[in-house]
Amino acid sequence: MGSLRFEVLKTVGNARRGRIHLPHGVVETPTFMPVGTNANVKLVTPHILKENNVQIILSNAFHLYLKPGLDVIREFGGLHNFMNWDRPILTDSGGFQVFSLKKGQKITDDGVWIMSPTDGSKHYITPELSMEIQATLGSDIVMAFDYCADPKDGYEEAKRSVKLTTKWAKRSLEHLRRISHQAIFGIIQGAVYEDLREMSLREITELDFDGFAIGGLSVGEPREVTLKMVEFVGPKMPENKPRYFMGGGSPDLLVDLVANGVDMFDSVFPTRVARHGLAVTWNGKFNIRSARYKYDKTPIDENCTCYTCRNFSKGYIRHLFDREEVLGQILLTIHDVHFMMEFGEKMRESIENGTFFEFREKVKKAYEKQSS
């Protein structure tokens, strides 16, 4: 087993309040993980992340393998030292790049040829290489190398992705156990097909992973299809290990994920929408660039305690966006990250005090009406 210990502290229905013990700290669950693809969460410093109670971040093994390269990471003694982040890190294996980087790609039984998005160079990524990359990075949680099929490619390709994902999961697990004591999660694939999800669930959970992830969703399929698959798979995953949904960020989705037993989720959602002027609040999200806020002296959220809301008005932040000043994006990113961390905290509290389902309905109503 890898260096991870998980405990479930309270349940309400399928919703779980848990705790993950990792080498770089304890993660209280359910938890949202901001994405720091290139060893940084866009527009914010590690200090800001800590100030806003970020417990764990996600970085991408394939992108860091390309730049700065493993020689640089080794020189700095791992990713934590390189980016000056002393809390837990989860690294994605590169499997999602099999989905997203189609140009020049070739999938074989042993691995995948992927073209670098930066210089066009071709790289053959195998489960073993992915494990070596992640071992060099020194993340607290490693993801097995998988094949995320595009739902548009149909049933047969989804079936192939399940077979390859199982084959690569075994190789990932065996290789990482040989070279590192890091924790490793297996990934359940199957696209939008229940029988394939069932097959993948059975095959992956038979292996001695430290946790399990639901992959291959939130990749363009309708929200109701996403939830149908999570409702089918989530509660059937092993109860004694963390459950991770890959790619979930919107608060109204997160409460549904947690209701189906999910403990962890990641997304570029809060940082990406912030760069486009969207503030995330308890009353839904709204566009700070709207003309209605030109003379507004109030903060984004009068009840929010983040640096942005304590110091700046909607009118000022709108002005920054209007003049294309990057400070506007920074201030909104700080608020949105703070909100997501507070959201996780309130969600955990609602499970502890038995009011999770009331909390869920309140969040879903707020995001259904969507402020403009």
Side-chain angles (χ1 to χ4, degrees):
M1 296 291 288
S3 49
L4 175 153
R5 182 166 64 86
F6 176 63
E7 51 186 328
V8 177
L9 305 176
K10 178 78 181 285
T11 59
V12 178
N14 287 320
R16 299 155 26 120
R17 165 74 175 94
R19 186 171 290 148
I20 306 172
H21 299 262
L22 294 165
H24 288 90
V26 174
V27 175
E28 305 290 345
T29 65
T31 194
F32 175 81
M33 299 182 286
V35 173
T37 299
N38 295 305
N40 71 301
V41 177
K42 288 188 185 299
L43 299 183
V44 289
T45 64
H47 177 71
I48 290 171
L49 294 175
K50 285 185 179 181
E51 277 192 338
N52 289 283
N53 301 316
V54 172
Q55 304 182 84
I56 177 172
I57 63 169
L58 178 145
S59 282
N60 187 280
F62 179 67
H63 289 292
L64 293 171
Y65 160 75
L66 295 177
K67 285 184 180 292
L70 297 188
D71 54 339
V72 174
I73 299 295
R74 284 193 197 96
E75 181 65 27
F76 280 83
L79 183 56
H80 287 88
N81 289 343
F82 184 57
M83 65 181 294
N84 192 29
W85 175 255
D86 60 4
R87 294 184 181 181
I89 298 174
L90 180 149
T91 44
D92 187 11
S93 66
F96 185 71
Q97 280 62 55
V98 180
F99 168 81
S100 61
L101 300 176
K102 301 289 190 186
K103 186 177 179 182
Q105 182 190 101
K106 184 180 180 183
I107 300 169
T108 73
D109 282 356
D110 289 325
V112 185
W113 282 103
I114 304 180
M115 183 181 291
S116 165
T118 56
D119 62 8
S121 58
K122 286 195 172 184
H123 302 265
Y124 191 56
I125 309 298
T126 63
E128 290 78 14
L129 177 56
S130 176
M131 296 307 101
E132 287 165 18
I133 293 168
Q134 294 181 82
T136 301
L137 294 174
S139 52
D140 296 75
I141 299 174
V142 165
M143 298 306 296
F145 191 58
D146 64 322
Y147 172 19
C148 173
D150 191 321
K152 295 192 292 291
D153 289 343
Y155 183 88
E156 288 305 318
E157 193 60 25
K159 187 174 182 180
R160 182 188 181 209
S161 83
V162 168
K163 291 181 176 179
L164 287 180
T165 293
T166 297
K167 182 178 181 181
W168 295 351
K170 293 174 181 175
R171 288 167 55 188
S172 296
L173 185 61
E174 288 170 7
H175 195 68
L176 188 77
R177 292 286 190 244
R178 280 198 294 268
I179 64 174
S180 173
H181 295 293
Q182 289 158 285
I184 178 172
F185 285 16
I187 303 173
I188 296 159
Q189 289 291 347
V192 297
Y193 307 100
E194 284 191 2
D195 63 326
L196 297 183
R197 286 281 168 186
E198 184 79 55
M199 180 194 304
S200 188
L201 173 71
R202 183 180 65 254
E203 293 176 353
I204 297 299
T205 58
E206 282 176 353
L207 302 174
D208 188 27
F209 285 108
D210 301 292
F212 298 96
I214 303 172
L217 294 173
S218 283
V219 290
E221 78 283 356
R223 171 71 67 88
E224 58 269 22
V225 175
T226 305
L227 290 178
K228 182 183 177 185
M229 292 298 105
V230 174
E231 288 167 3
F232 180 74
V233 172
K236 298 178 182 177
M237 295 165 76
E239 293 181 1
N240 64 334
K241 295 184 178 181
R243 300 164 172 172
Y244 165 31
F245 179 92
M246 306 179 77
S250 182
D252 52 329
L253 173 60
L254 298 192
V255 289
D256 284 335
L257 296 177
V258 170
N260 286 287
V262 174
D263 306 301
M264 309 164 66
F265 12 79
D266 77 280
S267 177
V268 296
F269 169 78
T271 51
R272 178 174 287 170
V273 300
R275 296 196 301 277
H276 290 88
L278 290 179
V280 189
T281 76
W282 290 105
N283 293 311
K285 56 183 185 285
F286 67 87
N287 196 330
I288 197 71
R289 297 174 298 177
S290 172
R292 74 172 68 179
Y293 303 120
K294 187 171 184 178
Y295 301 101
D296 196 326
K297 296 178 183 177
T298 65
I300 292 167
D301 182 345
E302 292 182 338
N303 296 315
C304 181
T305 59
C306 79
Y307 171 77
T308 301
C309 289
R310 292 198 316 268
N311 292 282
F312 303 99
S313 66
K314 293 189 192 83
Y316 177 63
I317 299 170
R318 179 194 176 276
H319 156 74
L320 294 174
F321 272 90
D322 188 50
R323 300 305 299 157
E324 298 183 352
E325 291 285 351
V326 72
L327 179 59
Q329 297 181 15
I330 292 170
L331 293 177
L332 204 48
T333 299
I334 290 171
H335 167 80
D336 284 0
V337 168
H338 176 94
F339 173 80
M340 294 303 295
M341 295 305 108
E342 184 180 56
F343 180 81
E345 183 181 346
K346 297 295 184 188
M347 190 153 47
R348 293 189 291 273
E349 287 176 2
S350 75
I351 298 172
E352 287 171 5
N353 60 34
T355 60
F356 170 73
F357 290 102
E358 293 88 335
F359 176 86
R360 178 193 186 192
E361 286 309 306
K362 183 179 176 182
V363 169
K364 288 178 76 68
K365 284 179 182 176
Y367 278 78
E368 278 168 10
K369 66 183 178 67
Q370 283 303 299
S371 335
S372 59

